[in-house]
Amino acid sequence: MYNYNSMATAMAAALPSFSSLTPHNPLSPRLSILFPTSSKSSPSSRPFLSLSSGLVLRTRAKPSDIDTSFFDNFDPEDEIPFDPPTPPEGFVPPPSFDEGPEETEDDVAAAYEELYGPGYSGVSVLGNDIYVMDSKVKKTSAFEKTKEDKVRDGFEERVVQVRRVTKVVKGGKQLHFRAVVVVGDKQGQVGVGVGKATEVIGAVQKSAVNARRNIITVPMTKYLTFPHRSEGDYGAAKVMLRPASPGTGVIAGGAVRIVLEMAGVENALGKQIGSKNALNNARATVVAVQKMRQFRDVARERGIPMEELWK
């Protein structure tokens, strides 16, 4: 129990230390310290400081004035027996961790799959699709390199050329790689793309994506050759294409041969006239193919049967 008389005496002794405070501070005009300054006032009349805002500042008593008679007969080295409280009526203690049934291997595998996804064995206990991973599970550490899967859209890729290109900047030269890639399904669809990157793999991937955006259809007959002659130019490169009889094969070289093979042409003649640039020759081949037209399309535009085209 605390002795309130001694506390009041201690607070009264501490109040004169606040005499240096001014009753009305110009910086905070609403602050006013209300306590009697006369030494004849009783100790009980000066127990605290009051503020005009309604707050109360209470003074603390000295530690020597606190009643500590409770600890006179207390020895901290004595052993105090543990006396837990009595449990209420109807209390049933929970079962121990070891008393429950043991978890089977399937239960452990199901719990692991729920937290981390399917295991390396490829067997899903919960019946999930092992090829579809959650976004949280699919995250890999910074030390693991993720390899992007190739797009399975039926198109094959063929690298025509990979060159090193440099760019002169203020600090020196920047080295990059330029790749020319031709994609096609060998059924009449073909595309030419180009891409640049700091690495060869990145340049090939960029050029493959660019080639898929520029897919064209190559007109062919039932003998897998061109319906008629055609020529195309791109820049300083010029390409000449001619149909061929069955069994001739693709007689062409460089980028022209790759473009015709990826398109599925088996009998054709090709010739590069002018520049030997691989990219320009590949694009010139695409221009020459786009000029070709099927006989049925021409007959439909003219409004005549196909038999009259050769009359």
Side-chain angles (χ1 to χ4, degrees), residues 22-305:
T22 58
H24 300 284
N25 189 351
L27 297 178
S28 56
R30 297 190 60 185
L31 176 64
S32 61
I33 304 175
L34 304 178
F35 60 90
T37 59
S38 175
S39 59
K40 297 181 181 180
S41 58
S42 60
S44 60
S45 63
R46 299 184 299 177
F48 56 85
L49 298 177
S50 176
L51 301 178
S52 61
S53 60
L55 300 177
V56 176
L57 298 178
R58 297 186 180 273
T59 59
R60 294 183 179 180
K62 296 181 180 180
S64 60
D65 297 336
I66 300 176
D67 185 11
T68 59
S69 60
F70 173 77
F71 300 98
D72 293 343
N73 299 327
F74 177 75
D75 188 2
E77 297 182 358
D78 293 344
E79 295 183 0
I80 302 176
F82 176 69
D83 187 11
T86 305
E89 297 181 0
F91 175 75
V92 179
S96 177
F97 179 78
D98 298 331
E99 293 180 359
E102 296 183 359
E103 294 182 344
T104 61
E105 294 183 359
D106 294 340
D107 296 339
V108 176
Y112 179 86
E113 182 178 350
E114 186 175 358
L115 292 176
Y116 305 104
Y120 292 102
S121 61
V123 179
S124 175
V125 182
L126 300 179
N128 298 327
D129 189 359
I130 60 176
Y131 298 104
V132 180
M133 303 293 291
D134 190 19
S135 59
K136 296 182 179 180
V137 180
K138 195 174 182 180
K139 293 180 179 179
T140 57
S141 62
F143 301 98
E144 297 180 1
K145 295 184 179 180
T146 57
K147 184 180 294 183
E148 297 182 1
D149 297 335
K150 292 185 178 180
V151 181
R152 300 179 181 178
D153 53 358
F155 287 94
E156 298 182 9
E157 302 177 3
R158 184 83 65 84
V159 179
V160 178
Q161 186 185 57
V162 177
R163 295 181 60 183
R164 293 189 304 173
V165 293
T166 57
K167 178 182 178 182
V168 180
V169 295
K170 183 178 180 180
K173 294 183 179 180
Q174 293 181 353
L175 178 64
H176 292 80
F177 293 93
R178 189 196 72 171
V180 180
V181 176
V182 178
V183 299
D185 58 354
K186 296 184 178 182
Q187 295 180 0
Q189 302 289 329
V190 69
V192 179
V194 62
K196 296 179 183 179
T198 56
E199 297 181 358
V200 178
I201 298 177
V204 171
Q205 291 178 352
K206 286 184 179 181
S207 57
V209 173
N210 181 256
R212 285 180 170 84
R213 295 175 181 174
N214 302 317
I215 297 295
I216 64 169
T217 302
V218 179
M220 292 186 294
T221 63
K222 63 180 180 179
Y223 301 109
L224 299 179
T225 185
F226 300 127
H228 57 84
R229 299 182 177 185
S230 178
E231 294 180 359
D233 55 351
Y234 189 91
K238 186 176 181 181
V239 173
M240 178 181 62
L241 300 179
R242 298 289 186 267
S245 59
T248 304
V250 178
I251 302 178
V256 180
R257 182 183 185 89
I258 297 177
V259 173
L260 297 181
E261 288 180 352
M262 298 303 293
V265 179
E266 296 183 359
N267 303 296
L269 303 175
K271 179 65 177 178
Q272 297 180 3
I273 304 173
S275 175
K276 302 298 181 181
N277 186 278
L279 178 59
N280 288 348
N281 278 286
R283 289 178 173 175
T285 306
V286 172
V287 172
V289 167
Q290 288 179 332
K291 292 182 180 180
M292 297 180 183
R293 303 171 65 185
Q294 293 284 11
F295 294 124
R296 58 177 176 271
D297 297 335
V298 177
R300 186 184 304 109
E301 292 178 1
R302 294 184 181 181
I304 58 176

Side-chain angles (χ1 to χ4, degrees), residues 10-25:
M11 288 188 293
L15 284 176
S17 61
F18 295 95
S19 60
S20 60
L21 299 176
T22 58
H24 300 284
N25 189 351

